[in-house]
Structures are given as structure tokens and as C-alpha cells.
Amino acid sequence: LRYDVRCFIFSFVVFLPVYFMAGNNPLSREAIEGNFMHAKQTLFWSRVLYSLLSLPFVLFVIPGLGKVLTHSAPTGYDSTGACLEFEYVTKEQPAEEAVEQKKVG
């Protein structure tokens, strides 16, 4: 979470000078309309920068590699809020029986 907050702050800090250094007279009508477009463009590139800073997390999305890196088992919650191990429901077994057999904790 700290890395994500730092990346957000960095992209925001990059956004501010680029937006405010447009060099136009802020009171003219052309500048107001142009600044709106400039703001949209600057915001777009700030989002691109923020997205590029999240590239280290792509490793966790690669099938198989995420499990090796985190050593965790997929879990979920049932309708009562109990945490249970993830299991696909088979056609022979009703969903309630599968939930009762897999309760964890």
C-alpha cells in the first residue's frame, strides 16, 4: 500500500507543475477553453505515468507465478460470512453441501 500511495503522490506532483506551467493568460476566454483541454491532456498523461508505475505487480497476474510468490491458497466467503477454501461446485454436489464440507477455521 505504501508503494501505491507513493506512486499516486508522485504522479500528482508531476501533474501540478505541468498543468500550471501552460504559459497562457489565465483570464482570457481562449486560455480558459484551452486550459480545460490542457487539463484533460495532463490528467491523461498522469494516469499513464501512474499505470506504468504499477508494472512491478504484473508478476502476480502471471498464472502459477503468483502462487509461487505469495504462497497463498485462494479463499472466499459463504452467505453466512464464514471463510472457506475455494472450490468449484460439481454437478453432483449441491452448493450448500460443498460449503459445509470446506469450512475453514
Side-chain angles (χ1 to χ4, degrees), residues 25-96:
N25 179 7
L27 300 177
S28 69
R29 186 159 190 64
E30 295 84 20
I32 292 171
E33 292 171 3
N35 281 342
F36 182 69
M37 183 56 81
H38 179 67
K40 288 174 66 174
Q41 292 170 351
T42 307
L43 189 60
F44 170 78
W45 286 110
S46 295
R47 290 176 66 189
V48 168
L49 174 65
Y50 181 72
S51 299
L52 289 173
L53 291 172
S54 67
L55 279 177
F57 298 104
V58 169
L59 295 175
F60 296 105
V61 180
I62 298 172
L65 192 58
K67 185 165 177 71
V68 170
L69 293 173
T70 62
H71 303 289
S72 63
T75 59
Y77 297 96
D78 65 359
S79 60
T80 62
C83 182
L84 28 125
E85 208 171 306
F86 181 76
E87 179 183 288
Y88 290 105
V89 178
T90 60
K91 291 184 179 181
E92 306 88 41
Q93 184 179 27
E96 291 81 24

